[in-house]
Amino acid sequence: MDTSLFLLPEGETGIVEEVFLPWETRRRLLDLGLTPGARVSCLFSAPSGDPRAYMVRGSVIALRREDAGCVALCRG
Amino acid sequence: MGLTLRSVGKNAADTIDIEAGACRTAALAGNPNVGKSTVFNGLTGLHQHTGNWSGKTVLTAAGSFQVDGRTYALVDIPGTYSLRAGSAEEEAARDYIAFGGADLVVVVCDAGALERNLNLALQILEVTPNVILAVNLMDEAKKRGIRVDTGRLAALLGVPVIPMAARRKKGLEELKRAVADFDPPPYAYTARYEESVENAVNLLEMPLENLLDGRLNARFAALRLLEGDPGMLARMDAYLGFSLARNPAVASALARAGELLRRAGIRSGTVGDRLIAGIYKSAGDICRQCVSGPAGYGERQLKVDRFLTRRLTGIPVMLALLALIFFITIKGANGPSDLLYGLFERVGRALERGLAALGAPERLTEALIFGVWRVLGYVVSVMLPPMAIFFPLFTLLEDLGYLPRVAFDLDAGFRRAGACGKQCLTMAMGFGCNAAGVVGCRIIDSERERIIATVTNALVPCNGRFPILIALISMFLISSGGTGASILAALALTGFIVAGVVATLLASRLLSRTVLKGRPSSPTLELPPFRAPKVGEVIVRSLLDRTLFVLGRAAAVAAPAGLLIWLAANLRVGDSTVLGLVTGALDPVGRFLGLDGVILTAFLLGLPANETVVPIMIMAYAASGTFQGYEDLDALRGLLLDNGWTAVTAVCTALFTVLHWPCTTTLLTIKKETGSVKWTVLAALLPTAMGAAVCALIAHIFG
């Protein structure tokens, strides 16, 4: 693991390695397309810096720090 | 603001009536925000409310359409990303697709995010091969340079694929025709998983085929058994009428399959991960063959989004937009309101003369004209113009896709309050109608957070209360006309709305620290691309669907309320009237809160519909006990001043308007949604306590 999704700077892209969350939450993120190997980029952040908006598989989803921090990435 | 006839009207039932005599029933499935409601409306001609944000279809709706004289039923089910359900809504969608018995499923997809949409479509293909893929938003995808080869997609999937742009009415006829002509496909695509999973499925398929007898797809059932989600397994058993896992043949196959997976390094509890990854791998393979174009986010869109969410600009832009909408509403509604008011007065006098000429008893004429007609006239003239301006403007923002950005900006506040970020969306629905907002809370997954959102929904003013605020502000706080005054009025109104939002956050925080303890679960909020709204349609739709409906409801309550007040103001007990006795008794409490007995009485009598609060107040003040009929609305200010109103009274009344018990419709909806008297009582007490505390405080500091 190089970094987590939350640490991915705005405008950069990474590759999902694994999601370290309980099944209920993990399932939701996987179903949105954050499966291992998926390309994801960080687009913009909310005024307080959390949540952040990520582009994955053609759509934009907002994730809170506690979730994004549990998605392991390798730099793409 | 999901306020339509459907959401709070008589059709707001959980059960759905499927058109009798239809020769075929199609379910309409899809991810949230792919234009499913637009497709539904386009096919059936019904007016399900649509908006550019996720999770709007909170109620399952049914409609029908005809092709060549034959009727086809269509069932709109809530949007979902997956058949692996989290929320009650997703469960409803999954259950209808898996067990609902529709003849075929139309899966509406977003051409601009086909890969993610295929996740759902491929899962549905595991339930049934009777699928039509409606690839919607082709026009928007094209604008972004994305092209979908629907012919190739149809060839790969083996099911009909219809390219659509439902907002432009493109593809609707083709989809109708495809439903009418549908034949079960000889071949339909099934996602293939890694070898060990496929071997495990094979082990289970044989005993399942025998047992299920075609009532469920054996491969689908095998995958669910391997995945082992207890909720889904229980639901399957309930549908079949027996326990699958307890069948000896299935149990032994499942044990062998589990062993096989373990040897392949797949731990129990992680089969679901492999299945989702497998489906996405298939979806990716398909998309590589049928989709071309840029995968990134548009530069211009990104600039706009960054502007709307930056630390320095996000919240200020939001407040400025809100104030701008209020400014246009107040400024624009002023003239028409006066005009309507005058019209009602003239017609009232004519009616009075007419009734007198017919020889009607004087008391009856008074009751009808001073009681019913004047209250009705007030409600219509004060409510109609602002609603006719406010609703279309708000709908435009909604259509554009701005609401999810607001939820994104405010998420930190809700997180700190221990609540769900989606509560921001249900709060926004509450601005339209709190009852609709309460129903909307079904989009929240966690029960704890759903109750928080439900109980606090009435802390933001609905459209029944906006006119009270507008009337108070324009009558009392900012009385002179002119643009400067309208700007001040808009800012004051924005201030009261912000007070409602702050109260929502504080109340949520209080609840999540006390009776509803727990960690906030994080929402998955999708931020859809901006869409150019169709202005004409927005105006027509918001006028017909929202304005007239709300006005009708208000008028239906106002007319009898007017009569009741007139009677209370004219029936005498000893020296004073019934109304006088009531307001007198409530006066000490009212005074303590910076209000008075009349204002408090008006709020109590306004319980069925807040729209009647101001007319009740005015009638009660008027010496003869009837609404005196002032030439214009400004003259009402004199009446309030004569009855001892000060700026503090007006501010307290406005705050109490925002913070008091919800109307009966909302309370009944809360009871229905939570199934609990306790939460319903709390939903009434909490805002009232907050309002009383704030008003008493202001009254004692400034009074």
Side-chain angles (χ1 to χ4, degrees):
Chain A
M1 168 175 149
D2 289 343
T3 182
S4 81
L5 192 52
F6 188 78
L7 297 175
L8 187 69
E10 258 180 46
E12 295 206 11
T13 302
I15 309 274
V16 177
E17 206 166 79
E18 198 176 344
V19 180
F20 295 101
L21 280 164
W23 169 241
E24 260 315 302
T25 323
R26 190 168 81 235
R27 172 197 71 74
R28 269 190 300 121
L29 299 195
L30 292 172
D31 265 328
L32 286 166
L34 286 166
T35 55
R39 288 176 71 83
V40 53
S41 48
C42 179
L43 296 178
F44 49 90
S45 318
S48 68
D50 179 22
R52 291 182 163 203
Y54 300 95
M55 178 131 197
V56 60
R57 300 190 196 262
S59 54
V60 182
I61 53 171
L63 292 180
R64 284 181 181 173
R65 173 184 208 141
E66 62 202 80
D67 289 342
C70 297
V71 179
L73 286 191
C74 38
R75 288 289 169 90
Chain B
M1 315 210 306
L3 182 75
T4 61
L5 193 61
R6 182 176 303 285
S7 55
V8 290
K10 61 179 163 46
N11 296 330
D14 288 305
T15 51
I16 37 171
D17 298 318
I18 293 167
E19 182 90 8
C23 60
R24 186 171 275 167
T25 300
L28 197 63
N31 280 189
N33 206 54
V34 293
K36 218 160 57 63
S37 298
T38 312
V39 172
F40 180 82
N41 292 346
L43 290 180
T44 61
L46 290 176
H47 299 286
Q48 171 105 312
H49 177 56
T50 61
N52 189 9
W53 45 288
S54 304
K56 232 171 22 359
T57 308
V58 287
L59 299 154
T60 307
S64 66
F65 61 89
Q66 296 209 325
V67 180
D68 298 338
R70 297 176 69 123
T71 306
Y72 300 87
L74 194 66
V75 178
D76 190 15
I77 49 186
T80 180
Y81 293 110
S82 165
L83 294 186
R84 292 178 187 83
S87 69
E89 249 207 322
E90 289 168 343
E91 248 174 54
R94 176 201 70 193
D95 287 351
Y96 191 78
I97 292 167
F99 316 114
D103 298 300
L104 65 118
V105 183
V106 176
V107 187
V108 184
C109 295
D110 175 357
L114 193 63
E115 198 178 349
R116 203 206 49 215
N117 285 258
L118 279 178
N119 173 37
L120 178 68
L122 295 183
Q123 287 185 52
I124 292 175
L125 277 167
E126 287 179 343
V127 178
T128 171
N130 297 336
V131 165
I132 295 174
L133 213 65
V135 183
N136 194 26
L137 306 171
M138 289 290 281
D139 50 340
E140 279 177 35
K142 197 173 161 192
K143 258 188 227 152
R144 286 158 59 194
I146 298 170
R147 285 180 186 279
V148 179
D149 183 346
T150 48
R152 180 100 187 96
L153 190 57
L156 283 170
L157 294 179
V159 299
V161 176
I162 315 292
M164 300 186 75
R167 272 155 58 92
R168 295 173 194 279
K169 311 253 178 269
K170 285 195 182 136
L172 290 171
E173 287 310 313
E174 291 82 348
L175 181 55
K176 281 185 193 176
R177 176 60 60 189
V179 172
D181 295 345
F182 190 81
D183 283 319
Y187 155 85
Y189 184 92
T190 30
R192 293 283 143 190
Y193 301 100
E194 55 200 282
E195 203 187 340
S196 53
V197 174
E198 285 299 333
N199 290 340
V201 170
N202 286 342
L203 279 175
L204 279 160
E205 258 181 322
M206 183 80 88
L208 284 172
E209 292 272 9
N210 296 332
L211 212 56
L212 293 170
D213 197 25
R215 291 180 65 201
L216 266 183
N217 184 310
R219 184 178 169 82
F220 175 73
L223 290 167
R224 301 292 77 81
L225 281 166
L226 290 174
E227 199 172 54
D229 173 50
M232 180 59 183
L233 293 180
R235 191 65 194 77
M236 252 174 17
D237 288 350
Y239 168 74
L240 293 168
F242 60 88
S243 169
L244 271 183
R246 285 214 200 107
N247 176 282
V250 175
S252 99
L254 191 56
R256 275 182 291 145
E259 182 51 37
L260 198 152
L261 289 174
R262 256 191 306 283
R263 264 186 278 134
I266 302 176
R267 283 173 288 123
S268 74
T270 63
V271 182
D273 298 64
R274 305 293 178 124
L275 297 187
I276 301 175
I279 289 251
Y280 263 114
K281 190 178 168 298
S282 299
D285 288 344
I286 292 169
C287 284
R288 265 187 293 284
Q289 298 179 61
C290 324
V291 182
S292 60
Y297 202 58
E299 267 307 307
R300 235 178 79 206
Q301 172 117 11
L302 190 60
K303 271 195 187 131
V304 175
D305 262 326
R306 288 200 169 143
F307 178 67
L308 292 177
T309 54
R310 276 274 171 263
R311 189 183 297 270
L312 285 175
T313 49
I315 307 279
V317 166
M318 188 183 78
L319 290 175
L321 269 174
L322 196 63
L324 179 68
I325 287 185
F326 288 145
F327 170 72
I328 298 172
T329 304
I330 292 170
K331 184 89 183 142
N334 214 346
S337 274
D338 273 343
L339 217 81
L340 275 174
Y341 188 81
L343 190 71
F344 265 93
E345 277 301 307
R346 279 198 297 280
V347 173
R349 277 194 291 274
L351 282 174
E352 195 183 339
R353 280 193 301 274
L355 283 170
L358 287 171
E362 199 181 327
R363 296 297 269 177
L364 178 71
T365 309
E366 278 183 13
L368 287 179
I369 302 299
F370 298 143
V372 177
W373 180 259
R374 280 200 173 135
V375 171
L376 198 63
Y378 177 87
V379 168
V380 172
S381 58
V382 170
M383 284 189 67
L384 180 60
M387 284 196 322
I389 300 171
F390 180 78
F391 279 161
L393 287 176
F394 197 93
T395 314
L396 280 179
L397 274 190
E398 200 182 356
D399 247 33
L400 194 65
Y402 183 61
L403 282 193
R405 271 81 186 170
V406 172
F408 183 73
D409 281 350
L410 295 182
D411 184 71
F414 284 97
R415 187 181 62 239
R416 275 180 216 127
C420 175
K422 280 191 202 162
Q423 192 179 331
C424 188
L425 295 177
T426 61
M427 186 180 76
M429 290 169 89
F431 282 119
C433 168
N434 294 128
V438 166
V439 175
C441 292
R442 289 184 195 173
I443 63 172
I444 297 171
D445 303 355
S446 123
E447 193 188 346
R448 184 187 78 85
E449 288 158 13
R450 194 167 54 247
I451 291 173
I452 293 180
T454 305
V455 170
T456 58
N457 193 276
L459 290 168
V460 291
C462 62
N463 62 60
R465 292 184 274 164
F466 270 117
I468 310 180
L469 294 172
I470 294 177
L472 286 171
I473 290 166
S474 49
M475 254 186 332
F476 212 88
L477 296 177
I478 297 134
S479 54
S480 70
T483 305
S486 297
I487 292 175
L488 277 178
L491 291 178
L493 189 50
T494 310
F496 286 119
I497 301 305
V498 170
V501 174
V502 170
T504 304
L505 290 172
L506 287 176
S508 303
R509 191 187 171 102
L510 180 73
L511 289 173
S512 68
R513 296 282 154 91
T514 54
V515 284
L516 287 160
K517 276 200 182 101
R519 273 186 68 246
S521 79
S522 44
T524 35
L525 180 70
E526 192 185 346
L527 301 168
F530 291 110
R531 287 177 193 156
K534 301 189 76 178
V535 179
E537 203 171 288
V538 161
I539 291 173
V540 170
R541 212 173 57 212
S542 51
L543 281 183
L544 291 180
D545 282 7
R546 293 179 168 178
T547 311
L548 290 184
F549 167 64
V550 171
L551 192 69
R553 193 178 82 113
V557 176
L563 188 62
L564 185 74
I565 293 301
W566 185 86
L567 287 174
N570 283 278
L571 285 179
R572 293 192 162 271
V573 180
D575 281 344
S576 57
T577 63
V578 172
L579 189 63
L581 283 176
V582 174
T583 57
L586 288 172
D587 206 56
V589 184
R591 298 270 168 212
F592 182 74
L593 302 178
L595 315 170
D596 63 26
V598 169
I599 302 172
L600 207 54
T601 308
F603 275 112
L604 282 171
L605 291 174
L607 182 67
N610 282 289
E611 293 85 343
T612 54
V613 166
V614 174
I616 290 173
M617 224 155 66
I618 290 167
M619 282 181 79
Y621 280 136
S624 73
T626 54
F627 200 166
Q628 286 301 290
Y630 291 87
E631 281 316 310
D632 59 51
L633 292 169
D634 282 342
L636 293 175
R637 179 185 159 85
L639 179 73
L640 298 181
L641 280 174
D642 290 344
N643 282 282
W645 273 52
T646 62
V648 175
T649 321
V651 169
C652 285
T653 309
L655 283 171
F656 202 71
T657 304
V658 179
L659 305 172
H660 75 290
W661 49 86
C663 72
T664 31
T665 313
T666 306
L667 286 173
L668 289 173
T669 311
I670 294 173
K671 170 72 180 53
K672 189 166 156 247
E673 290 295 313
T674 60
S676 145
V677 176
K678 185 177 81 175
W679 297 129
T680 313
V681 170
L682 185 65
L685 288 183
L686 186 75
T688 310
M690 291 178 88
V694 171
C695 289
L697 201 67
I698 288 180
H700 288 259
I701 294 172
F702 300 99

